[in-house]
Amino acid sequence: MRCKNKYMKIGIMTIFNVPNYGAMIQCYALSKYLKDLGHEVFLYEVPFNKTNKLLHNLKRKLFLSQMTQFISDFLPPYTCNLSTPADLYMVGSDQVWNPEILQEETEKYMLSFIPKGNKKVSYAASFGTEKWKDEKLYEKVKELLSDFKYITVRESSGVDILKKQFGLDSHQVLDPCFLLNDYSEIIKSQRQKGEDEDRLVTYKLIYSYDWYLQAKKLAKTINCNLIELSGRYLKKQDDMHGLNIKSTTVSEWISSIATAKYVVTDSFHGCVFSLLHQRQFVVLPALKERSIRLTSLLSALGLTDRIAHTVLECQSILEKEINYEHVSAILEELREDSRKQLFRMLQV
C-alpha cells in the first residue's frame, strides 16, 4: 500500500534512546514501515529526566553502550534540533503521552514546539493508564491535541480518554511492531546456543532477586532451561534493584523469544514478540496501574486467560496451548485495519 505521488519527509517524536528493548524496536518498526512506503524519516530526540537521575543515567549508559551498533545500523538519523522542518510530524508509538514517564517533557511529546496549523498526527500513541490524571496539564494538553489532524492510539482506554476527557475523536491501532511481517534484517541468522533444548525465556522490566529464584524454580518444575533476557543484574544488592550490568543485544532478545518453548514476561513488547512468533506465553503484570497496555491487547485477541497474578499460576497457564490459528486470524484483521488507518493518516 503506497501513497501515490506523495512521498514526504516525516519527523517522528518517540521514546527510543532509552534502556528498553521495546522502545527501540517499536521505533525501528514504524520508521522502517514508513521508509518502505517511500518516505524519508528522521527522529526528534528529547531526553526526559527521571526522579533518580543517577541510577537512570547509569542504566542508560550501560544499556546504550551495548546498543550503539543497532542504533547506527537500523534506526533513522535523529536530531536534538526541534526546529528541523518536516512535511508531516508524527508522534508515536509507546507511552509517549504518559506524564508520569515524560514528566516536564510531556508537552514536547505532544509537539508543543511545532507551530499551529502544521500537519500533526499520532500513530499508536499510549497514555499508559486508564484516565488522564494531571489536572495542571489538562488545558494545555487539550489545546495541543486539538491541533492534531489525525489521532490513533494503541489502547482502547486511549480512545476513551480522548473522547470522554478531551472531547476528541481517535482510532485504535496495533503497536507498530505488528506492522512488519519480517524481522530477519535484525535477527541473528546463526543458531542460538541451546536452541534444540526446551527453554523457559523470561523478560522482566521490574526485576528482583526474589523473581529470579521463583523463575528458576518454575523452570525446574516444567523441565526447561532458564534463559533470562533481563541480563546480568547485581542480584544480591537490594539497593541496586534493577541495575543491569550486561544486556543481550536486540537481535538476541528477539531470537531468544522466537525460539523459546515458553515465555514469561511483564513487558508489553515481550508479549508482542511472543505473539508474533506464536510462543506459549504468560504475562505477569508488575505494575497494576500500567497493565492496561497488556490487557487491551490480550482482550482484543481473546487471550486474557494468559494473564497470571502469581508465579504459581504460570505453570497451569503454560500447560494450556494457545490456538494460534484463531489468534492469527484476529491479528491479521487488526493488522490490516491498522495499516489502513496509517495510510489515511498519511493523506491528511
Side-chain angles (χ1 to χ4, degrees):
M1 187 180 292
R2 285 181 169 266
C3 304
K4 296 179 180 179
N5 303 319
K6 199 179 179 182
Y7 300 134
M8 297 177 287
K9 183 177 182 180
I10 301 175
I12 298 178
M13 171 64 86
T14 191
I15 302 169
F16 70 96
N17 217 347
V18 294
N20 183 284
Y21 294 102
M24 282 193 174
I25 302 171
Q26 64 82 22
C27 178
Y28 162 79
L30 180 58
S31 56
K32 177 171 173 52
Y33 189 79
L34 291 170
K35 286 191 290 184
D36 286 348
L37 291 177
H39 301 291
E40 178 185 349
V41 178
F42 71 93
L43 308 172
Y44 290 109
E45 183 182 20
V46 179
F48 52 94
N49 296 318
K50 286 284 189 178
T51 304
N52 189 338
K53 293 183 180 180
L54 178 62
L55 183 57
H56 173 71
N57 289 336
L58 184 54
K59 284 183 182 182
R60 186 174 185 273
K61 186 174 182 180
L62 287 168
F63 182 88
L64 294 179
S65 66
Q66 299 171 64
M67 302 302 159
T68 303
Q69 196 63 47
F70 177 82
I71 294 172
S72 173
D73 290 347
F74 299 113
L75 296 191
Y78 57 92
T79 178
C80 293
N81 181 3
L82 301 185
S83 63
T84 303
D87 299 313
L88 184 73
Y89 301 91
M90 183 178 292
V91 178
S93 171
D94 222 355
Q95 296 184 74
V96 286
W97 288 346
N98 188 338
E100 291 182 10
I101 292 176
L102 301 173
Q103 300 176 20
E104 63 194 49
E105 306 298 350
T106 298
E107 293 179 21
K108 289 179 183 175
Y109 280 83
M110 295 178 177
L111 302 180
S112 61
F113 58 92
I114 305 297
K116 286 186 176 182
N118 282 278
K119 293 180 179 180
K120 304 176 188 178
V121 299
S122 72
Y123 182 81
S126 173
F127 291 95
T129 60
E130 294 185 75
K131 293 182 180 180
W132 180 267
K133 300 175 183 178
D134 195 324
E135 294 182 5
K136 292 181 179 179
L137 281 175
Y138 175 80
E139 291 298 334
K140 184 61 178 179
V141 167
K142 184 174 182 178
E143 176 189 341
L144 291 171
L145 294 182
S146 295
D147 196 40
F148 275 62
K149 306 295 183 185
Y150 207 101
I151 297 177
T152 65
V153 289
R154 198 173 62 185
E155 289 89 36
S156 56
S157 59
V159 175
D160 290 340
I161 289 171
L162 287 163
K163 189 64 177 178
K164 295 177 181 178
Q165 295 188 254
F166 294 101
L168 299 172
D169 293 326
S170 62
H171 305 274
Q172 184 181 3
V173 293
L174 290 174
D175 185 273
C177 292
F178 288 110
L179 294 175
L180 300 183
N181 291 320
D182 183 13
Y183 282 87
S184 60
E185 179 181 59
I186 60 175
I187 295 180
K188 289 175 64 175
S189 58
Q190 65 264 39
R191 293 175 66 80
Q192 292 280 95
K193 183 180 179 181
E195 191 172 306
D196 294 327
E197 302 168 345
D198 287 343
R199 296 179 303 147
L200 168 65
V201 170
T202 68
Y203 178 58
K204 290 281 287 178
L205 291 172
I206 307 299
Y207 193 91
S208 69
Y209 187 53
D210 180 61
W211 156 253
Y212 163 73
L213 294 176
Q214 292 186 69
K216 192 174 179 181
K217 183 177 180 180
L218 174 63
K220 185 177 181 180
T221 302
I222 59 179
N223 197 29
C224 286
N225 289 333
L226 176 63
I227 305 296
E228 291 186 283
L229 296 185
S230 303
R232 296 179 184 174
Y233 283 78
L234 301 179
K235 295 188 179 80
K236 296 182 180 179
Q237 300 295 320
D238 293 336
D239 58 339
M240 299 303 282
H241 173 268
L243 178 58
N244 191 347
I245 60 174
K246 185 175 181 181
S247 301
T248 57
T249 65
V250 173
S251 172
E252 290 168 339
W253 188 86
I254 297 176
S255 297
S256 294
I257 292 175
T259 56
K261 182 174 183 180
Y262 301 119
V263 178
V264 177
T265 185
D266 62 353
S267 156
F268 176 83
H269 287 100
C271 175
V272 167
F273 278 87
S274 296
L275 287 163
L276 285 172
H277 293 284
Q278 300 191 354
R279 300 296 91 189
Q280 302 301 320
F281 69 91
V282 172
V283 169
L284 193 64
L287 298 174
K288 185 179 179 180
E289 61 272 21
R290 292 187 188 174
S291 63
I292 188 65
R293 299 176 299 148
L294 290 159
T295 55
S296 180
L297 174 62
L298 294 176
S299 178
L301 297 173
L303 290 174
T304 53
D305 60 347
R306 306 309 291 188
I307 299 173
H309 302 288
T310 67
V311 178
L312 291 175
E313 294 177 19
C314 290
Q315 182 180 354
S316 59
I317 295 174
L318 287 173
E319 289 172 349
K320 301 174 185 175
E321 285 204 3
I322 297 170
N323 180 354
Y324 270 109
E325 183 177 352
H326 176 68
V327 171
S328 295
I330 299 173
L331 191 55
E332 192 53 43
E333 283 187 26
L334 296 174
R335 180 185 276 135
E336 186 58 29
D337 183 65
S338 296
R339 288 170 177 160
K340 287 179 180 178
Q341 292 294 342
L342 181 53
F343 180 77
R344 290 170 190 154
M345 183 189 305
L346 296 173
Q347 308 304 306
V348 298

